[in-house]
Amino acid sequence: MIGSPILTQMPKVGRSLERRTARELIADKLMVLVATNMLRPGDVLPGERELANVLHVSRETVRGAIQTLAARGVVEVSQGSRTRVGNIDLSHLTVTIASPSAIDSYDIEDVHAARLHIELKVVGDAAENIDEETLGKLGALLDAQKLCSDDAMRFLICDREFHVAIYRACGNPLLSDFVTDLYTYMMDHRRSAMSRPGAIDASYKDHSDIVAALRRRDRAAVVAAFHHHLIRIYETTKTLLANEEASGGKPKQKAPAGQG
């Protein structure tokens, strides 16, 4: 498992991946989940077996990664209780090219337009370049998603692995890193959206359609399935932002040109 290309091509978190151990790579993956608000302070982490299955590594690797994060104060490990996310702000971290706070400073319409313009090209290329190993990983992630029931946090951990695996299959690391940054947009709102009744089932159906098209290497079908998925993400995120503004919360503002 340690030699998996999916594992070795995870987000860089601002550092080179050369000659780094598997536990360091998984520690960085978990830090990304915290930095993008997919995991929040106080959240109880899934068990070692579940994380090992989703992240495609051994339980020993996961255990070592958690020990690394505990030493950094990212998670809290207590004897006889589950590991929890610590009260720490990692929004300054570079996920791939930019930090989550930089991506979130852009207007939702601009981010959605960018995803439609670039991400559909990336997943179309992935349809033509994807290998059997990645298809196998996607199938395993679908199985894991099916078991998430109504747990938005667990689903989104699988969801990120699912999307990044497809992006990496396009064959262009720069483009895949860029669309991964776009994927992290408003992740705190995405988690709220996925907590709504029926949201996980709908997203799972989208993912199943995407994988079926990828297995056929059908570029047009993959692009169509992803387009449907992106529209769903856009509409649910926009609704949550509008509700937040109506209830007196501050909506995100568009960044000035050249910023973000």
Side-chain angles (χ1 to χ4, degrees), residues 26 102 105 121 137 175 191-192 219 243:
I26 296 305
S105 69
K121 158 67 174 172
K137 179 178 177 69
L175 282 177
R191 180 164 163 179
S192 296
R219 184 184 186 107
N243 290 343

Side-chain angles (χ1 to χ4, degrees), residues 7-83:
L7 174 61
T8 56
Q9 292 175 0
M10 52 78 66
K12 300 179 180 60
V13 197
R15 293 183 291 173
S16 170
L17 294 183
E18 293 180 2
R19 299 178 182 174
R20 303 188 63 215
T21 66
R23 67 189 291 180
E24 289 173 328
L25 297 177
I26 296 305
D28 278 355
K29 279 199 172 190
L30 293 174
M31 285 178 68
V32 165
L33 301 182
V34 177
T36 57
N37 288 317
M38 197 174 293
L39 292 176
R40 301 169 179 169
D43 276 346
V44 176
L45 288 184
E48 290 177 1
R49 184 185 302 276
E50 185 176 353
L51 285 173
N53 182 48
V54 170
L55 299 175
H56 206 53
V57 292
S58 69
R59 291 181 66 181
E60 289 72 21
T61 296
V62 170
R63 187 176 302 123
I66 289 174
Q67 291 171 351
T68 298
L69 294 180
R72 298 175 186 172
V74 178
V75 300
E76 299 170 353
V77 181
S78 301
Q79 186 71 26
S81 62
R82 299 289 292 275
T83 301

Side-chain angles (χ1 to χ4, degrees), residues 142-259:
L142 278 179
D143 291 341
Q145 289 170 23
K146 191 184 299 183
L147 301 176
C148 289
S149 183
D150 58 352
D151 191 325
M153 178 189 74
R154 280 173 165 76
F155 182 84
L156 285 172
I157 291 173
C158 294
D159 185 74
R160 188 181 194 282
E161 289 294 301
F162 181 88
H163 277 256
V164 172
I166 296 173
Y167 301 156
R168 289 291 175 185
C170 82
N172 185 318
L174 178 56
L175 282 177
S176 63
D177 279 354
F178 182 54
V179 294
T180 298
D181 282 340
L182 295 177
Y183 167 85
T184 68
Y185 182 71
M186 296 292 178
M187 188 52 68
D188 51 342
H189 290 80
R190 290 268 301 285
R191 180 164 163 179
S192 296
M194 294 310 300
S195 298
R196 295 187 169 188
I200 288 178
D201 288 342
S203 193
Y204 174 78
K205 172 63 166 58
D206 289 352
H207 288 179
S208 297
D209 291 343
I210 289 166
V211 171
L214 284 168
R215 285 173 174 154
R216 300 194 304 271
R217 270 76 173 185
D218 186 336
R219 184 184 186 107
V222 170
V223 170
F226 246 96
H227 184 272
H228 177 78
H229 192 48
L230 293 179
I231 294 297
R232 183 193 303 282
I233 293 170
Y234 163 72
E235 290 177 344
T236 55
T237 304
K238 187 172 183 178
T239 296
L240 284 170
L241 288 172
N243 290 343
E244 180 181 283
E245 183 175 4
S247 64
K250 288 187 177 181
K252 298 290 182 178
Q253 299 296 323
K254 182 176 179 179
Q259 294 186 20

